[in-house]
Amino acid sequence: MLNNGLMEHTLPKRAAPRIFDCGEPGACEPAAAPRAAPRRPEIVETALLLGRIARAEGAAGLYAGLGPTLAMAVPNTVLYFTAYDELRRALGDLAAAPAVAGAAARCLATAAVAPFELARTQLQALPPEGRGAYGAALRRAVAARGAASLWRGLGSTLWRDVPFSACYWLAYERLRGGARRHDGAAAAGAAGVAAGALAALATTPFDVAKTRAMVDAHLDRGGDRSTWDNMRTIARAEGPRALLAGAAPRLLKVAPACGIMIGSYEYAKAAFAGA
């Protein structure tokens, strides 16, 4: 049984390796135990996985769930940045202002788009023939479990996104010298990449617990446990390293996205301010 951080895969059993090589009776000599294959870096595993998906499902398979992701990302980002700027301005020069404003803005934005996040996760967990429009996924969830099910897993999502947002904005503003200086989109983007990488690594255990909880809820395997319960269960069953499953691909996705997003945002603000 193997686990890739999203679902389990059962592999066929292989014959046990011979540890002793016996010839004449009494002349049994221990043979060298077979060495375990070296574990490949997660970056390599990610590239191989992308290749397998492309071969099995075509290029479109690499963008499974893109529709609900876009439907979620645009209002989420608008609400998130607007709320952060307003809260940051209201908090003034408090040392913890970036973390507090970032955490509060993320709570608001995440709660607003939680149904789309649920649909996206469920669509990506389905095989190609089982995928449909995200609207259909939402209707299935409401019909099966009621409207409240659209926010199922919100707690675990907040446990991942709120600490991430607090870490990200605190690191971002420190990297830019405290007060938010408008010294160009390139500098903002570079600071965003570094801050995003730091925040992503620090919150990967929450991401693992959140993903497991949402998939378990979709498969009716008991997705109502708390984030801390999920993390303790994963650590006991698979070891503490399992809480960092997918850290490398997450960094590859999150850090550049943070840089592009904040760089574009600062550029747009400067452009509109000068218009």
Side-chain angles (χ1 to χ4, degrees), residues 44-249:
V44 175
E45 292 285 1
T46 301
L48 292 174
L49 177 59
L50 291 174
R52 287 197 293 270
I53 293 172
R55 287 194 298 272
E57 305 178 24
L62 298 173
Y63 296 91
L66 179 60
T69 297
L70 291 176
M72 174 183 66
V74 174
N76 181 295
T77 303
V78 171
L79 182 58
Y80 177 51
F81 276 105
T82 302
Y84 177 79
D85 270 347
E86 293 301 319
L87 290 168
R88 181 69 179 87
R89 189 176 299 111
L91 291 170
D93 296 328
L94 292 174
V100 173
R106 180 50 70 193
C107 282
L108 176 63
T110 300
V113 301
F116 297 103
E117 171 75 1
L118 177 66
R120 180 183 68 83
T121 303
Q122 293 185 356
L123 287 175
Q124 288 182 324
L126 291 173
E129 60 272 14
R131 294 174 188 150
Y134 64 85
L138 295 178
R139 287 193 295 273
R140 286 196 300 270
V142 171
R145 305 182 185 93
S149 67
L150 296 179
W151 281 268
R152 194 174 186 180
L154 176 61
S156 57
T157 301
L158 291 175
W159 269 113
R160 178 198 65 178
D161 290 353
V162 171
F164 176 91
S165 187
C167 291
Y168 170 77
W169 285 109
L170 190 61
Y172 174 75
E173 296 213 16
R174 293 294 184 272
L175 288 169
R176 296 199 71 194
R180 303 190 71 197
R181 303 194 312 268
H182 298 284
D183 49 3
V193 169
L198 177 64
L201 186 59
T203 58
T204 292
F206 297 109
D207 183 56
V208 172
K210 172 258 178 190
T211 302
R212 298 280 188 95
M214 294 191 78
V215 173
D216 284 348
H218 171 62
L219 299 176
D220 289 323
R221 294 190 311 206
D224 294 326
R225 291 179 301 181
S226 72
T227 297
W228 291 106
D229 285 341
N230 274 330
M231 291 171 66
R232 281 194 294 268
T233 299
I234 293 168
R236 282 198 303 265
E238 304 170 39
R241 287 188 61 181
L243 293 173
L244 294 176

